[in-house]
């Protein structure tokens, strides 16, 4: 019985230290050092409502926004992950063809590769400088 009580005390101390105290200390330190990063780089609209995170791409389709890379998980942060489709899979060829047509790419004006290929997690919000330049004319025209 004495051994069982010692084990339970050790278990309780471990749970308190590892599952309560340590996470609270790390969270408090992160809030002090970089509150934006600690809270997930949240993006707010003009009224203060949270509309997303700067770390997760959103599937914009309106001409006034820069369009992100394709996503294998439809930009759902709860299901981050890439596709396990082979590079020779016809679905990828179809998706690439649709994206090329959507952007209006031609042989004289080729589409940057990052606008046709998904990132590893399928949520990367960053596009290359070439991808941004490719879309700049459309975005500028839509925004006047």
């Amino acid at each position: 019985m004495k051994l069982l009580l010692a084990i339970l005390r050790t278990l309780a101390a471990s749970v308190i230290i590892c599952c309560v105290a340590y996470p609270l200390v790390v969270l408090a330190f992160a809030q002090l050092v970089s509150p934006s990063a600690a809270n997930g780089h949240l993006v707010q609209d003009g009224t203060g409502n949270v509309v997303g995170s700067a770390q997760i791409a959103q599937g914009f389709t309106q001409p006034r926004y820069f369009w992100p890379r394709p996503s294998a998980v439809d930009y759902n942060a709860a299901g981050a992950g890439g596709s396990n489709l082979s590079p020779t899979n016809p679905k990828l060829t179809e998706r690439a063809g649709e994206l090329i047509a959507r952007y209006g790419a031609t042989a004289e004006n080729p589409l940057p590769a990052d606008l046709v290929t998904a990132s590893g997690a399928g949520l990367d919000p960053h596009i290359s400088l070439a991808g941004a330049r490719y879309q700049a004319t459309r975005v500028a025209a839509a925004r006047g």
Side-chain angles (χ1 to χ4, degrees):
M1 188 66 165
K2 197 175 190 182
L3 180 61
L4 181 61
L5 289 175
I7 291 171
L8 289 175
R9 281 193 303 268
T10 304
L11 176 65
S14 297
V15 167
I16 290 170
I17 292 169
C18 297
C19 299
V20 178
Y22 178 74
L24 288 175
V25 168
V26 170
L27 179 62
F29 179 74
Q31 289 291 344
L32 273 172
V33 175
S34 181
S36 176
N39 295 323
H41 294 283
L42 301 178
V43 176
Q44 298 176 347
D45 63 8
T47 62
N49 294 324
V50 175
V51 294
S53 169
Q55 299 296 347
I56 299 174
Q58 295 183 27
F60 293 116
T61 57
Q62 297 172 339
R64 62 189 308 248
Y65 296 112
F66 285 95
W67 296 339
R69 298 177 72 168
S71 173
V73 293
D74 198 29
Y75 309 102
N76 181 355
S83 144
N84 65 352
L85 298 176
S86 157
T88 60
N89 190 298
K91 289 181 182 179
L92 291 179
T93 306
E94 289 173 25
R95 183 180 73 190
E98 291 169 4
L99 288 168
I100 290 169
R102 176 179 172 202
Y103 281 99
T106 63
E108 297 79 33
N109 188 22
L111 189 61
D114 66 311
L115 296 179
V116 181
T117 57
S119 66
L123 300 172
D124 187 7
H126 305 103
I127 56 174
S128 66
L129 181 58
R133 285 184 175 152
Y134 193 89
Q135 299 181 66
T137 305
R138 172 185 43 82
V139 172
R143 291 181 176 237

